[in-house]
Amino acid sequence: SKPIIAIVGRPNVGKSTLFNALAGEKISIVKDTPGVTRDRIYADVTWLNYQFTLIDTGGIEPDSGDLLLSHMRGQAEIAMETADVIIFLTDVRQGLVDADYQVADMLRRSGKPIVLAVNKVDNYEKFVLDTYEFYNLGLGTPFPVSANSKIGFGDLLDEVLVHC
Ligand code: GDP
Ligand code: MG
């Protein structure tokens, strides 16, 4: 059956924008237990000759504090339970922050393949140097993308599909 690829990352890094850009229109929402922020959104995606199921684990996201961390833990759990490959999305504009390290640690423990993407690289020359700090997460090469401008998707998905 088709590989399942989950997008995980902090609020506002651009998970839903990336999801929508890749998914087009075939989107379905799966509601989890009411009050629990484990809703996720699925789409069947065709990329070149490949077909996979993409999940946006974000749902409705809290802004900060303890809620944020437990929400991120829930996201990571969904991804680790269901995905064959996890896209861990970060944000070059906000840079590398503590919560990124915390999520990276949760994901790493799953042993699932993780592909690190750095979003909002709308201008490669301007932002490429800023993507290098994301090597510090210990998740390998950061792939620069712009979900808004649909830049970098080919290289990112090539790497994802290596693990499928
Ligand atoms: P999510 O909370 O991770 O799902 O993030 P969203 O997809 O809702 O995006 C959060 C904000 O980042 C929105 O204002 C988006 O328009 C913006 N955003 C998403 N992708 C990009 C990008 O590639 N470049 C820039 N400059 N902004 C982006
Ligand atoms: Mg979202």
Side-chain angles (χ1 to χ4, degrees), residues 10 90-97 100-101 116-137 141-145:
R10 290 184 295 104
T90 58
D91 178 346
V92 79
R93 310 290 178 112
Q94 291 182 12
L96 184 54
V97 301
D100 291 326
Y101 283 103
L116 174 60
V118 185
N119 191 30
K120 310 195 185 179
V121 182
D122 304 333
N123 177 327
Y124 188 80
E125 281 71 31
K126 190 169 171 195
F127 291 109
V128 67
L129 289 178
D130 296 332
T131 68
Y132 292 163
E133 73 168 326
F134 291 87
Y135 274 103
N136 289 318
L137 289 169
T141 305
F143 286 83
V145 295

Side-chain angles (χ1 to χ4, degrees), residues 9-18 56 61 93 119-122 145-149:
R10 290 184 295 104
N12 284 315
V13 295
K15 296 180 298 299
S16 299
T17 307
L18 177 64
D56 177 356
E61 311 198 273
R93 310 290 178 112
N119 191 30
K120 310 195 185 179
V121 182
D122 304 333
V145 295
S146 170
N148 265 351
S149 306

Side-chain angles (χ1 to χ4, degrees), residues 20-143:
N20 289 329
L22 292 171
E25 288 165 6
K26 288 168 281 176
I27 297 174
S28 54
I29 298 173
V30 175
K31 293 268 179 201
D32 211 325
T33 319
V36 180
T37 52
R38 294 195 17 141
D39 297 348
R40 60 268 195 200
I41 305 177
Y42 288 81
D44 291 319
V45 176
T46 303
W47 176 261
L48 306 177
N49 293 323
Y50 299 97
Q51 293 199 324
F52 54 88
T53 299
L54 190 64
I55 310 177
D56 177 356
T57 59
I60 297 166
E61 311 198 273
D63 294 335
S64 61
D66 294 346
L67 272 180
L68 177 61
L69 198 59
S70 63
H71 174 82
M72 308 273 315
R73 194 167 286 122
Q75 267 192 293
E77 276 164 11
I78 291 169
M80 294 185 293
E81 283 163 16
T82 58
D84 297 298
V85 184
I86 297 167
I87 296 176
F88 180 39
L89 195 64
T90 58
D91 178 346
V92 79
R93 310 290 178 112
Q94 291 182 12
L96 184 54
V97 301
D98 273 353
D100 291 326
Y101 283 103
Q102 287 163 344
V103 178
D105 284 344
M106 292 177 209
L107 295 176
R108 214 190 324 265
R109 276 185 239 119
S110 72
K112 295 260 169 113
I114 301 163
V115 178
L116 174 60
V118 185
N119 191 30
K120 310 195 185 179
V121 182
D122 304 333
N123 177 327
Y124 188 80
E125 281 71 31
K126 190 169 171 195
F127 291 109
V128 67
L129 289 178
D130 296 332
T131 68
Y132 292 163
E133 73 168 326
F134 291 87
Y135 274 103
N136 289 318
L137 289 169
L139 294 173
T141 305
F143 286 83

